[in-house]
Amino acid sequence: MKLITLVLGLVLASAQQAVGLTPPANAAPYTACSEVIVRKEVRTLSSAEWEAYKSAVNKSQKDKWVDWFGYLHTMVATTAHGNSNFFPFHRKFTRDYENILRRYDSSVAIPYWNEPIDYQSPSTSTALGPNYLGGNGDSNTQCVTDGIAANWQLVYPDPHCFQRQFTGGGNIPSWYSPEFITSTIQVSKTYSDIRASIENSIHGIIHLSMGGDMNTMYSPMDPVFWLHHSNCDRYWAQWQAISPDDRTYMYDGTDTSGKTVSLDDNVLLSDAPVVSVMRLGYGDMCYTYDTIKDANGDANALSKRQKCIRRPSAQTQAVKELPPDLLKEYYPSFASGSNNLLESEMSSILPGQPMAADTVAAAAFVAPKPDESKRGKMPMFSTLTDKWLNMMHYNSTEVKAVEQRARQMVEALNKAGYLSPYAV
């Protein structure tokens, strides 16, 4: 394993140099990692990988690291959200926790949960199963008694059991879809575009849907937090990797005070500059994602060229068959004939698909076909509450703009008689 990760690191460095990426001068101190770990979708982890992760997480909780990260997140409650600090802060924050976990087991990488796959019926996701991330809290106490954090007792901000309270009375309403995330990645032209669209959509609604500790500023108490922010970071990383020369160090917008941000700004809660977290595989950002690795044929997070051009998956093909005017509006890369895997979030993982760690169920799984009765009936996503917007100090105008575009997309796809591959 050490040899493999060493080779991946060297490939990452050489390939990035080959594509002609010219880092800014202030990026010079952050050299290529000798070891690059790969973050995977949680449903693809082997039983050994899941058990290693679960063990490390529980050890970190016993040593009060979970409380500590909950406290730290509270310290930046009003500065890390609703502005350009969002992605750099959470990238480093998640990486810092990952480094803690790797003290217990150096094989561990934080997985990600590709939540939009489950958008039509979130609470039935196998990721929330009793042997994995766990389900809803008790109807009276909100205490969670199953999953990776079963019966946890926490001390911050006051002694309490680990809590969840799913929205919808336990039957969580619909989330944003893979179709929406795919559109977001394709239409976002600037850092501010991708940040606003992801933060104000799938980011917020997952926090709100889990409820309990996840719906507070000490949300890192919930193990879902880390898989969720790993996934949000993956969206940013993929968007960067689509056009590395332009996007790797693209950082625009303002901070919470209205000041224009700069790569020389320090990441919140840190003396490390933002430039130090912008390029995966360099400095301390010694990781990549399976989707980036697979798209490029190696671990290079910023390669311009895929090793091979693969036939689009059936899930991607479903979107590509939309009328030309809808492709141009919502999927411009598909409209232009692009087959870049980084530009599609139409995963081959399907709702109800067992965890790979559940070897018996995974072996017996038969991929379901889309339900024809749901053609033209994509459900509308849940929206953020005023209480959430106030807690996060979000710009309501920005949030409403994201929601409006998403709503228009759902209505347009339904009018076209689109059948989502995830409507099973």
Side-chain angles (χ1 to χ4, degrees), residues 335-383:
S336 68
S338 172
N339 285 316
N340 188 337
L341 299 182
L342 297 171
E343 295 179 299
S344 178
E345 272 299 296
M346 302 300 290
S347 173
S348 59
I349 298 173
L350 295 173
Q353 184 165 322
M355 306 283 282
D358 189 354
T359 54
V360 175
F365 180 68
V366 177
K369 294 181 179 180
D371 183 351
E372 274 291 338
S373 69
K374 296 181 179 179
R375 182 177 293 278
K377 297 178 182 178
M378 283 184 72
M380 199 60 71
F381 51 88
S382 303
T383 56

Side-chain angles (χ1 to χ4, degrees), residues 171-406:
N171 186 20
I172 302 172
S174 297
W175 289 337
Y176 289 81
S177 66
E179 288 88 348
F180 171 75
I181 302 298
T182 297
S183 179
T184 288
I185 290 174
Q186 292 192 19
V187 303
S188 296
K189 301 302 181 185
T190 68
Y191 169 83
S192 290
D193 289 342
I194 189 73
R195 193 279 307 166
S197 191
I198 296 300
E199 184 180 5
N200 294 314
S201 62
I202 193 66
H203 164 257
I205 207 61
I206 299 298
H207 276 275
L208 196 60
S209 296
M210 293 292 104
D213 289 331
M214 189 70 164
N215 190 20
T216 68
M217 280 304 182
Y218 46 91
S219 49
M221 302 286 198
D222 190 329
V224 164
F225 175 95
W226 303 107
L227 281 72
H228 177 46
H229 276 279
S230 182
N231 193 42
C232 291
D233 179 66
R234 181 177 67 90
Y235 295 145
W236 180 31
Q238 282 188 204
W239 179 83
Q240 289 179 299
I242 291 166
S243 184
D245 287 352
D246 300 323
R247 298 178 178 178
T248 301
Y249 295 100
M250 183 184 289
Y251 188 52
D252 53 42
T254 60
D255 63 17
T256 190
S257 70
K259 172 181 169 291
T260 300
V261 295
S262 163
L263 290 172
D264 291 322
D265 295 341
N266 283 347
V267 178
L268 299 176
L269 298 180
S270 169
D271 59 2
V274 168
V275 70
S276 69
V277 305
M278 298 297 284
R279 191 176 187 180
L280 297 192
Y282 278 68
D284 184 50
M285 302 299 108
C286 298
Y287 67 92
T288 187
Y289 290 96
D290 55 1
T291 51
I292 296 175
K293 176 178 176 292
D294 291 346
N296 292 316
D298 54 38
N300 175 20
L302 300 171
S303 174
K304 275 187 174 179
R305 302 177 181 86
Q306 294 174 219
K307 296 289 184 179
C308 59
I309 301 299
R310 305 176 189 175
R311 179 177 297 177
S313 67
Q315 291 75 24
T316 296
Q317 192 60 36
V319 175
K320 286 192 168 189
E321 291 174 358
L322 285 166
D325 60 324
L326 294 187
L327 289 179
K328 184 177 180 181
E329 175 73 17
Y330 297 107
Y331 305 99
S333 296
F334 290 165
S336 68
S338 172
N339 285 316
N340 188 337
L341 299 182
L342 297 171
E343 295 179 299
S344 178
E345 272 299 296
M346 302 300 290
S347 173
S348 59
I349 298 173
L350 295 173
Q353 184 165 322
M355 306 283 282
D358 189 354
T359 54
V360 175
F365 180 68
V366 177
K369 294 181 179 180
D371 183 351
E372 274 291 338
S373 69
K374 296 181 179 179
R375 182 177 293 278
K377 297 178 182 178
M378 283 184 72
M380 199 60 71
F381 51 88
S382 303
T383 56
L384 300 176
T385 64
D386 289 340
K387 182 178 179 181
W388 172 265
L389 300 184
N390 291 333
M391 180 179 76
M392 302 297 288
H393 291 256
Y394 276 1
N395 181 323
S396 61
T397 301
E398 182 180 86
V399 173
K400 298 306 179 185
V402 172
E403 292 177 346
Q404 177 65 11
R405 178 173 177 79

Side-chain angles (χ1 to χ4, degrees), residues 2-10 31-36 281 283 286:
K2 289 290 186 182
L3 177 60
I4 292 174
T5 50
L6 174 60
V7 171
L8 291 181
L10 294 175
T31 57
C33 302
S34 60
E35 178 181 357
V36 178
C286 298

Side-chain angles (χ1 to χ4, degrees), residues 330 376 378 380 404 406-416:
Y330 297 107
M378 283 184 72
M380 199 60 71
Q404 177 65 11
R407 187 175 295 107
Q408 290 172 343
M409 188 208 77
V410 172
E411 292 172 347
L413 266 59
N414 281 340
K415 186 176 181 180

Side-chain angles (χ1 to χ4, degrees), residues 77-130:
T78 61
T79 52
H81 305 92
N83 63 82
S84 294
N85 284 319
F86 175 76
F87 272 138
F89 167 74
H90 286 93
R91 175 171 284 181
K92 188 176 189 306
F93 193 63
T94 303
R95 177 59 178 164
D96 287 347
Y97 182 61
E98 185 171 60
N99 284 334
I100 294 296
L101 296 181
R102 287 171 61 80
R103 294 183 188 180
Y104 300 106
D105 187 333
S106 61
S107 73
V108 165
I110 293 179
Y112 65 90
W113 176 19
N114 192 348
E115 303 107 335
I117 290 171
D118 303 304
Y119 81 101
Q120 296 219 6
S121 182
S123 53
T124 64
S125 174
T126 53
L128 294 174

